[in-house]
Structure formats: C-alpha cells, structure tokens
Amino acid sequence: MTLDSKIGRSLNRLPAFPATVHKVTSLINNPDSSLFELVEVIRLDQAITANILRMCNSAYFGLRHKVDNVHDAIMYLGKQNVVRAVMAAGTSRFFKDTPGYEAEAKDLWEHAVGTALMSQILAKKILKHEDSQLFTAALMHDIGKIILGEFVSEKYHEIKNSMSARSCSFLEAEEEVLGMNHAGIGGVIAAAWNFPQDIQQAIAYHHRPDRHPVMASPMPWLIHLADQGCLMMGIGYGTDGLSYHGLDEAMSRFDFTNKDFEEAMSLLFAELDGARELIGIVQPKVA
Amino acid sequence: MSQITIKLADAVANNNPNDTLIAYGIGSTLAVILYDEGAKAGGIVHFMLSNSAVGSLKTREYPAMYADSGIPQLVKSCVELGARKDALTARLAGGAFMLGKGISQSVSDGNLSAARTILLKMGIKVEAENTGGNHMRTVRLDISTGKVYLRRPNCNWEEIR
C-alpha cells in the first residue's frame, strides 16, 4: 500500500466530530435562539455537559456556590465562554500521543489551548475584538499531527536528513518525504468535520499564510503569530521545535511592533497561569 | 535524591547535594544557571523576555519572567543559601529562533544580550553558552558537583563546560 493511501485510510477512520459543538455554535450565532434550546442541545452530549459543569465550578471562574446544571452554567459563563468551553470539551477528545513529533497528548493540548488564548490576545490588540472563529481555528491548528504523527515517526530520519540537506523547515521536509504536511492534513480534517471554509483554510495555511489564496484574511496570519509565540515560549513543544518559518510580514502587515509582541507573550503567560486548572480539567484521553 | 523542576518564569536556588534542578522546554527563552563551587550552592532562572518594562501590572507578579528582575532575584537567593556573589559563575542555555529570523530572533538576541550585560555588571563570569539553533533544550544542574548537562530532543545528555 502506498504512503498516500495509508494516510488516506487513516483519514477515513477518523471518528466523527461531535454534532453538539456545531449546533451550539450556530445557536449562539443566531439571535433568535433561546437559552432553553441551547440547554437542550448541550444536555444531549454527556461528556460536554460534564466538562462545562467542571469548568464552571473551577477556581478560574471563582463562583461562590456550586453549579450543578447546564442552564445555570450558561448563565454564569456567558455566551463567548460557552462556545469556548463546548469547543474545548468537544475537541480535546481527539488529542492523542503523536510519536513522530515526540509530543504527548497533554503537550499537544497545552499547545492548542496556548495558541487559542494567544490568538485572542492578538485579536484584541489588532482587530480590537475577540473572535470565536479564530479561537476555534487556533485550537485546532495542529490537528493534522494526530493523523500524520505515525507516518512522521516511520520516516523521521528521512525528514531530518531532508531538513539538513535542503536547509528547509520541518513543514517542507514533511511535504517532500510524505507528500503532504500536517497543516494541509489539518485543513482536510476540518473539512471532513464540516467546519466553515475560513477555519479549514486558516488551519491549512497557518505556517505559510503568505501562500493563502485570499491574502486579506487575517485568520491564518494571527494563528501564525500565536503559534510562533507558543513555540518560542516552549508551550507544548515537540521534536519539530522551532524548525518552521517565522514570517516577518506577519508583524508588519498589522503594524505590530516587537514591543507589542513581547507584551502579548507576557500576557499569555499570565493567562495560562490563571487557566492551568481549566486546561487540566479537560485532559484529553491518552491513546 | 530529588529532581526539582524549574518552570518558565521561575527562579530557584538550592544547596542540597542530593538535589538536581531541571528546566524543560527552553525555546527562545533563556536559562541562566549559577553555581558557587566553594559553597556548593546554585540555581536556575528560566526567563522569557529581557526587560520588565514591557509588562503590565498583571505580569509584574512574575519577576522571574524577565532577565532584569529574574537574574538579580536568583543571585539574591543563591547568596541567602551561602553562595558568595563574587564566586558565582554562570552558564547560559536557550535562545533558539525560527527560520527566517524575525521576532523570535529579536527576542532571543535581546535575552542573550540582557543576560550578558546584567551578569557583567554583577561581576559574574559566564563560563559557557549553548545558544541559538532552532531546537528546544532541557538543562540540568547537579547541586553536588555544579555540573550542567544539556539535552536536545532525540539526543543524549551532554555537559556544558
């Protein structure tokens, strides 16, 4: 069996994405929907319900009394936090150890949450508002690694050799040896899971936003910067480390200065420190 | 024998000969490892930025996040454990950056140059540096010997002399 068809077979075996997450997102974006409808949809997924209640009762939100039902949890968390909590609870189940990148599930998850939080810090500064779609895309930006990991593991030495011989990035070496890279596979997974095209493309182009067909879209650029900040800080790193391109244009196109970026990094550290417990309670299953 | 983990934005000194200090995930950040051979005391600070002036009120709760506040904090802690400031020596590890330079190189360069300047001003000699490249690093300080070891992903430990 060729490598292409082996990767294709792994993609076909990918479990379905929980429908609850898409339903919640569309209800929250619909001004005519009611709280009752939202509660009913969330209640259908036991794992998501349990995680939302645990999040709501964590020290992060600092509530004085225990919340024991979805209705109250939504009231306390607010719509933006409900989308994030549901997305985190729905997505975390897919994170598993990825041998090729020498990253454990918890590292990949921490990197995903770190990048999602950083994307919002950057969005607040650059776009002047937070963005739930960007949060989702940032949370899933490396999802392709869960499929590609075993193939990277098999061909690790060839990938390393290609990097040294061509002085290229890990991404380009993946592409040469495996015929595809983890960002592209991530875009394919997002399409299979019925995420909007903007999210698919932001994932697929997060390492090379300069190759994105619609250069005007800020999403892949912001994820590129958020990912870079997390790699620099060693948040959930793998064996690929910092072997990627850091595009200067990502800063200049937003008139973002080095000082702005350093300030964003320090804010991210403080946010992650505050969110430790929150990250920990959505521990993904280790495969 | 116990192993004590130094997290990012953390500075820890120690003089227990049974202990080892270890800092994982050093990317564009920098670990400064100090040791006084006579007192058999030392420590590690793992900071991420050079200058605390970029921080807000919220981030100033973490002095070891910055070179200019973290390094003096570690020196003070080492002295409190019996080290002599003029007998301390330093080793530096980290400062990796991405391809195409950009912001990661500017942060790494800033960290490295801040560490050198601050240590020079404090009269602390830098014995060895292992910096640059685009790989992550882990460093370990054995308190009983003062030896510092470094590991890259998929590689063995090597001593930084």
Side-chain angles (χ1 to χ4, degrees):
Chain A
M1 192 185 286
T2 64
L3 192 60
D4 260 16
S5 49
K6 277 187 192 169
I7 296 174
R9 201 172 63 168
S10 285
L11 273 171
N12 288 334
R13 281 202 303 244
L14 198 68
F17 194 78
T20 307
V21 177
H22 290 314
K23 283 187 196 150
V24 168
T25 313
S26 94
L27 278 175
I28 282 185
N29 289 333
N30 174 7
D32 295 332
S33 70
S34 67
L35 180 62
F36 176 76
E37 285 175 283
L38 195 56
V39 172
E40 288 307 301
V41 166
I42 292 174
R43 268 190 192 153
L44 290 176
D45 191 312
Q46 282 185 352
I48 290 177
T49 299
N51 272 325
I52 284 189
L53 292 179
R54 285 164 73 192
M55 276 189 191
C56 202
N57 288 312
S58 76
Y60 186 68
F61 290 104
L63 301 182
R64 288 195 182 157
H65 56 278
K66 196 169 186 295
V67 171
D68 60 4
N69 64 80
V70 174
H71 177 277
D72 289 355
I74 296 171
M75 297 292 284
Y76 287 121
L77 288 174
K79 281 188 173 183
Q80 285 283 341
N81 281 324
V82 168
V83 174
R84 286 172 198 183
V86 169
M87 192 57 70
T91 312
S92 65
R93 64 184 75 176
F94 298 103
F95 283 71
K96 58 177 191 178
D97 291 1
T98 52
Y101 304 92
E102 293 293 327
E104 292 180 12
K106 67 175 176 51
D107 299 323
L108 279 181
W109 179 243
E110 191 184 7
H111 182 76
V113 174
T115 307
L117 293 178
M118 184 65 154
S119 76
Q120 300 306 295
I121 292 171
L122 296 173
K124 267 189 276 184
K125 279 183 168 276
I126 292 169
L127 309 175
K128 309 297 176 207
H129 59 82
E130 297 198 353
D131 184 325
S132 295
Q133 264 209 337
L134 175 66
F135 182 91
T136 300
L139 195 67
M140 302 215 329
H141 76 283
D142 270 344
I143 199 77
K145 286 186 175 180
I146 64 169
I147 293 285
L148 216 54
E150 63 173 294
F151 304 102
V152 168
S153 179
E154 274 175 30
K155 303 272 182 185
Y156 184 73
H157 289 291
E158 281 179 53
I159 292 175
K160 287 300 263 187
N161 290 341
S162 163
M163 278 167 64
S164 330
R166 298 169 53 216
S167 301
C168 67
S169 71
F170 200 92
L171 191 87
E172 287 154 348
E174 271 179 348
E175 223 164 68
E176 183 186 281
V177 175
L178 304 176
M180 55 195 83
N181 65 58
H182 71 268
I185 294 265
V188 174
I189 294 173
W193 282 347
N194 297 318
F195 279 90
Q197 206 177 16
D198 277 357
I199 291 181
Q200 297 170 27
Q201 297 217 335
I203 293 170
Y205 291 95
H206 75 268
H207 280 297
R208 294 309 302 252
D210 51 330
R211 294 180 182 164
H212 189 281
V214 189
M215 286 277 283
S217 168
M219 269 221 288
W221 290 99
L222 290 172
I223 297 173
H224 180 75
L225 280 176
D227 183 29
Q228 199 168 329
C230 288
L231 292 175
M232 288 164 65
M233 290 164 68
I235 298 169
Y237 62 97
T239 189
D240 43 348
L242 288 92
S243 316
Y244 296 102
H245 283 282
L247 302 174
D248 270 346
E249 198 192 335
M251 302 271 289
S252 56
R253 67 186 290 118
F254 298 120
D255 289 327
F256 210 56
T257 64
N258 287 3
K259 189 174 171 291
D260 292 333
F261 194 83
E262 292 190 6
E263 196 184 338
M265 283 171 72
S266 60
L267 279 175
L268 173 64
F269 181 85
E271 275 201 21
L272 272 173
D273 199 32
R276 280 284 149 216
E277 194 180 354
L278 199 64
I279 294 168
I281 61 174
V282 206
Q283 274 295 348
K285 253 189 311 196
V286 177
Chain B
M1 181 161 175
S2 60
Q3 184 167 283
I4 297 159
T5 301
I6 318 300
K7 294 181 191 157
L8 180 59
D10 210 358
V12 174
N14 188 295
N15 62 353
N16 183 341
N18 295 319
D19 289 347
T20 296
L21 308 186
I22 190 161
Y24 296 96
I26 308 168
S28 301
T29 53
L30 195 71
V32 172
I33 305 109
L34 299 179
Y35 192 72
D36 172 354
E37 216 168 297
K40 303 243 173 262
I44 300 181
V45 55
H46 181 188
F47 62 85
M48 68 184 218
L49 295 168
S50 57
N51 190 342
S52 54
V54 299
S56 58
L57 209 56
K58 197 172 160 192
T59 60
R60 286 193 195 123
E61 286 170 28
Y62 308 94
M65 195 192 285
Y66 309 97
D68 63 349
S69 41
I71 297 174
Q73 184 188 323
L74 179 65
V75 171
K76 187 167 171 266
S77 306
C78 289
V79 169
E80 280 167 3
L81 290 180
R84 277 182 27 233
K85 191 174 150 194
D86 58 2
L88 285 169
T89 55
R91 285 173 172 75
L92 314 181
F97 44 83
M98 301 181 79
L99 307 174
K101 301 176 180 177
I103 180 69
S104 61
Q105 183 155 27
S106 122
V107 167
S108 328
D109 286 352
N111 285 340
L112 200 53
S113 111
R116 287 177 186 143
T117 310
I118 292 162
L119 291 166
L120 183 69
K121 271 193 191 155
M122 297 184 94
I124 296 170
K125 190 181 168 203
V126 177
E127 293 273 2
E129 292 184 4
N130 187 306
T131 59
N134 44 45
H135 52 273
M136 309 297 293
R137 291 174 169 84
T138 297
V139 287
R140 194 182 87 202
L141 166 66
D142 289 345
I143 295 295
S144 62
T145 61
K147 287 188 174 176
V148 177
Y149 298 91
L150 181 141
R151 192 175 62 191
R152 296 167 51 160
N154 287 329
C155 296
N156 295 323
W157 288 102
E158 53 173 306
E159 192 181 343
I160 320 180
R161 292 170 190 274

